Amino acid sequence: MKHDSIAVLDFGSQYSHLIVRRIRELGVHAELLSPHMKASELKEYKGIIFSGGPQNLSDSDALIADIAIYALPVPLLGICYGLQLMAHQLGGSVGAGKEREYGPTDVTITETTGLFAGLNATERVWMSHGDYVATVPEGFTVTAFSPTCPTAGMMNEKTKRYGIQFHPEVVHTKNGMRVLENFIAITGANKTWSLNEGWIEEQVSRIRTQVGDSRVLCALSGGVDSSVAAFLVHRAVGSQLTCVYVDTGLMRKNETQEVRDAFAALPDLDFRVIEAESVFLEKLAGVTEPEEKRKIIGETFIRIFEKEAKTIGDAEFLVQGTLYTDVITSGVSVGGVAAKIKSHHNVGGLPKDLSFSLIEPLRDLYKDEVRMLGRALGVPLTIVERQPFPGPGLAVRIIGDITPDRLHILREADAIFREEIKNANLGSAIQQYFTVLPVVRSVGVQGDARTYGYPIILRAVTTTDFMTADWARIPYEVLEKISTRITNEVKDVTRVVYDITPKPPGTVEWE
Ligand code: XMP
């Protein structure tokens, strides 16, 4: 089935991906595209959105759109920089604001039809701009304004050109989804985008055609992406698929068992667990430098995977859980570089000389869509709801050299932390939470005796994209319980500390 689609031209806003996600949430397929797209390449789209961007139109290198786009019989919506660009290119004028308008702002809506149908006379919206549209182009009317912004909205209803200074895609714009929904209605796009059986069947038949009778190999990390990709490919080719899961010994408590249980639901799958803890620990013994750890783990993984691949014989295809965000890096379009395609490897980097053709069935999907798909495919929730976990696993959460004892301590402390976050119902509010064990010892006192043990660091962050993050405000009572349990239940831990560093300047992980 060919879906109606909306093109989002990326002028470099940090919210560009969010626009695409919101349109998809509303049931219409959307794609993030280079701002250099030519009108001739956009004819098939039902609507076109110009995103915001960090530039000013007065900059000598300011990005502009192909002027021929305005002649297409396709509805157009400009957001923030996109609005200013539209005004500028169609003969209006853009002024430099004396003050920036940033954050929540009340705008007066003067036209409650079309794009603003159903909105109130005053709307709380999210602004982030300095420049503003001083005069709208001929044929346009102002549809909204704020105390400092004379053109918070403009439209030419006849040609279906719309512009808004605020960001409808962020949650702080109260009726932002309504605005996007109105735009979809204006485009007439059919709402066919959902990861239902129809989508799954479409992919399944595509994979079947691609694979034929060949064998397919998948390196499972146990994370959401590779697991959902494996379930989908399995639906297409059944027993032609072999999944290889390498137990590095650097996984969290019960993780390997959870992966086994999840894949036990697919009895005809050739599912292989390679127990390689001793190999990894031997190679990592005495290594303290984080990049050295990553390199060793990556290489060891490759060697094991290669060896296993040979025993499978003539596998022609390799499944990878590449996501849309891996394929399209937001903002790379700024400065004239077209959207960059990078090849993505889930597990430490697979060897380049393995001559496989790739199957990447999630290439068009966002993480939340992959989770939705996982649920539809029956992937167990233990996997679908899993928080991100770094490829090198617990190796980068022991700050110092890795020993089986330290791994045991870290695993037990981490399991307690996760359990208590779950008990407190905080799991969905905190995007990543884990423990870290620095190889230092401190003095404690337990049962009247002096002890000498490790500290455990709790790390918990809230974030939307992991590029920036804040430390989670876990209630004191929950922290207290976690601390008490860890020092009581995990031998050799004398102290529990909470990391209150945002990113930047810290990173999420400690190494
Ligand atoms: P940082 O520590 O860079 O982490 O703020 C951002 C996100 O990336 C994850 N991370 C990794 N994932 N291999 C991975 O697959 C790695 O080596 C790695 N290092 C960090 C981290 O858990 C967080 O989600």
Side-chain angles (χ1 to χ4, degrees), residues 137 187 192 227 256 265 300 302 305 317 350 368 408 442 457 465 474 484 498:
T187 67
T192 55
S227 300
T256 297
T300 309
I302 289 167
F305 189 79
F317 294 92
L350 289 169
D368 43 358
H408 177 75
S442 72
I457 297 156
D465 57 8
I474 299 176
T484 309
Y498 191 34

Side-chain angles (χ1 to χ4, degrees), residues 8 14 52 80 120 153 175 190 214 258 261 272 310 324 430 440 472 474:
V8 178
Q14 55 175 325
C80 195
N120 303 304
N175 280 317
N190 284 314
S214 306
E258 281 170 10
D261 291 347
R272 307 179 182 199
K310 286 206 182 89
Y324 196 52
I430 307 175
V440 290
I474 299 176

Side-chain angles (χ1 to χ4, degrees), residues 294 388 390-392 432 466 503 507-509:
R294 283 190 166 84
Q432 200 171 3
F466 295 91
K503 172 184 179 176
T507 48
V508 175
E509 303 284 347

Side-chain angles (χ1 to χ4, degrees), residues 252 387 397 414 417-419 421-422 426-427 430-435 459-461 474:
R252 287 163 293 187
Q387 52 170 318
R397 293 180 180 171
D414 188 70
F417 191 18
R418 284 194 284 148
E419 198 178 312
I421 291 291
K422 191 170 169 213
L426 292 170
I430 307 175
Q431 282 65 49
Q432 200 171 3
Y433 47 98
F434 54 88
T435 51
R459 179 70 164 147
V461 295
I474 299 176

Side-chain angles (χ1 to χ4, degrees), residues 417 434 436 456-462 469-476 479 496-508 510:
F417 191 18
F434 54 88
V436 177
I456 280 289
I457 297 156
L458 307 176
R459 179 70 164 147
V461 295
T462 54
D470 198 5
W471 56 279
R473 272 40 171 192
I474 299 176
Y476 280 175
L479 287 172
V496 175
V497 302
Y498 191 34
D499 179 353
I500 53 168
T501 324
K503 172 184 179 176
T507 48
V508 175
W510 268 53

